[in-house]
Amino acid sequence: MNGVYIHIPFCKSKCPYCDFHSQRCNDDLKAQYTLALIDEIKTLRRTKAFLPNGFSEVDTLYIGGGTPSVLKGEELEAIIAAAKSSFNIADGAEITVECNPSSPIEELIPTFLKCGVNRISLGMQSAVDEERRALGRSADRQRVKYVIDLLKSNGISNISLDIMLGIPDQTKESLHSTLDFIKECNIQHVSAYILKIEEGTFFHTHSDRFNFPDEDECCELYEYCCEYLESIGFNHYEISNFALPGYESKHNTKYWTLESYLGIGPAAHSFVNGKRFYFNRDTLAFINGEKAQLDCEGGDEKEYIMLRLRLKEGLSLSELSRLYSPKACEKIIKKAPLLQKHGLVSFDGETLSLTTKGALLSNSIIAELI
């Protein structure tokens, strides 16, 4: 089965940490973009060079951003309807929409229900109001709780919360408050990201104004987050993702298991037929019909190793050998014992997986192995 990602490049305002392709907009620009997006969904004219056999058999649809919840209900409905009419979307498909709790979710719920949206990803970042304000998030803890309860009362109970680690002035105690909030709200899925100060963001330009936790403190926050969530029943199924049993993100899992997915919209990336391609980070260019660009070939053994080690289930050497060659395992077998001695990996001779400590050094460990 395949996945479809649709990018909405608009936000009410730009958060100080955000490096994603997003911008403020007016109603006219949103309307123009919606029309261009629907045209591409229906015709695939900008991506057809990479899709000789079309694109069907879809079981996940993910609308991300930016902030999709800045669109009007009728715009979201038209986008989802176009996707349903253009792709062979399976019954019971996972349909996710990213939302900001400060958006008028009350007005969008009828659209969600009409279109079969069954999963909402909320950008909470923190349940501590002071930390949320530092991140440029306007909704307070009470508003986040209200939105969660509202979604559940309308039958949308598969809710994911984004949280951030390494927020200015964040402590283990304040993180504990956020994690208690997750437990209190009976959330099914959590994505926890360590804040990275990206070049060109407000945080990067004005870093001297903020008291960011240092690297060691961020590591402690990550380890504490993992420990807490696992203690209340969450499966730490990917380096930054946690889910109650059965609530793992089906769409995002495609990225880590090299399943095919098609991304539509500026800055959206795709992996289909062993090729990676993308749209430029330019909303007006997309509106004006700019085609997707080839990135590179994908799915080689190095990429397979890198992505599998992001997952808790880890890397199966027998599967690696079957898909690529026995030689692909030799370096891993040689390097694994030392990494295991330092508590960075678990290795039983067949399966290699990162420990929580190892996840913090995942880039270095993966580079060592490949």
Side-chain angles (χ1 to χ4, degrees), residues 15-19 195-210 212:
C15 294
Y17 57 86
C18 181
D19 186 43
L195 174 62
K196 183 179 178 183
I197 309 302
E198 301 284 0
E199 189 172 348
T201 63
F202 184 87
F203 274 168
H204 181 267
T205 306
H206 303 283
S207 59
D208 57 326
R209 298 187 189 180
F210 301 95
F212 294 105

Side-chain angles (χ1 to χ4, degrees), residues 67-263:
T67 310
S69 55
V70 302
L71 294 182
K72 298 175 182 177
E74 54 265 34
E75 291 168 330
L76 271 174
E77 181 180 345
I79 291 167
I80 296 172
K84 287 186 171 183
S85 68
S86 301
F87 305 113
N88 181 19
I89 296 182
D91 292 339
E94 179 188 86
I95 302 178
T96 303
V97 178
E98 289 183 353
C99 295
N100 189 322
S102 63
S103 296
I105 307 298
E106 300 89 335
E107 299 173 13
L108 294 176
I109 283 179
T111 297
F112 296 157
L113 298 178
K114 182 177 181 181
C115 296
V117 173
N118 50 26
R119 186 173 183 272
I120 296 293
S121 177
L122 284 177
M124 180 177 76
Q125 316 310 349
S126 171
V128 178
D129 288 345
E130 293 81 5
E131 292 176 356
R132 288 181 55 74
R133 285 194 290 270
L135 294 171
R137 315 296 282 185
S138 58
D140 60 16
R141 179 187 180 114
Q142 184 178 357
R143 170 66 184 178
V144 177
K145 180 67 165 62
Y146 169 77
V147 168
I148 292 170
D149 290 343
L150 183 65
L151 289 167
K152 289 185 174 184
S153 68
N154 281 277
I156 303 175
S157 58
N158 189 353
I159 298 171
S160 176
L161 290 184
D162 285 354
I163 65 171
M164 194 166 282
L165 312 174
I167 299 167
D169 296 310
Q170 189 177 40
T171 63
K172 188 180 289 187
E173 289 71 28
S174 68
L175 175 58
H176 184 89
S177 178
T178 291
L179 297 173
D180 276 350
F181 178 83
I182 290 168
K183 180 180 179 181
E184 171 194 340
C185 294
N186 189 28
I187 294 301
Q188 288 69 43
H189 187 280
V190 176
S191 295
Y193 302 106
I194 296 177
L195 174 62
K196 183 179 178 183
I197 309 302
E198 301 284 0
E199 189 172 348
T201 63
F202 184 87
F203 274 168
H204 181 267
T205 306
H206 303 283
S207 59
D208 57 326
R209 298 187 189 180
F210 301 95
N211 179 32
F212 294 105
D214 63 27
E215 185 175 348
D216 287 342
E217 289 169 328
C218 285
C219 291
E220 290 178 5
L221 291 170
Y222 176 80
E223 290 176 331
Y224 180 69
C225 178
C226 296
E227 178 186 326
Y228 185 107
L229 291 175
E230 288 173 339
S231 76
I232 60 172
F234 279 82
N235 173 30
H236 187 186
Y237 72 100
E238 191 271 343
I239 287 177
S240 300
N241 288 276
F242 307 77
L244 295 179
Y247 286 95
E248 294 81 4
S249 170
K250 294 177 182 177
H251 182 82
N252 288 343
T253 298
K254 293 183 186 300
Y255 301 153
W256 308 311
T257 55
L258 290 173
E259 293 181 67
S260 293
Y261 54 89
L262 177 65

Side-chain angles (χ1 to χ4, degrees), residues 308-349:
R308 283 289 172 172
L309 285 177
R310 291 195 63 88
L311 295 170
K312 182 181 180 179
E313 64 190 59
L315 174 68
S316 164
L317 295 192
S318 60
E319 189 73 358
L320 177 64
S321 177
R322 184 183 67 81
L323 292 173
Y324 298 96
S325 75
K327 287 186 177 181
C329 303
E330 292 175 0
K331 189 171 186 179
I332 292 172
I333 293 171
K334 181 179 179 181
K335 298 279 187 178
L338 183 60
L339 294 170
Q340 187 170 32
K341 180 180 178 181
H342 289 288
L344 300 176
V345 303
S346 295
F347 183 55
D348 61 7

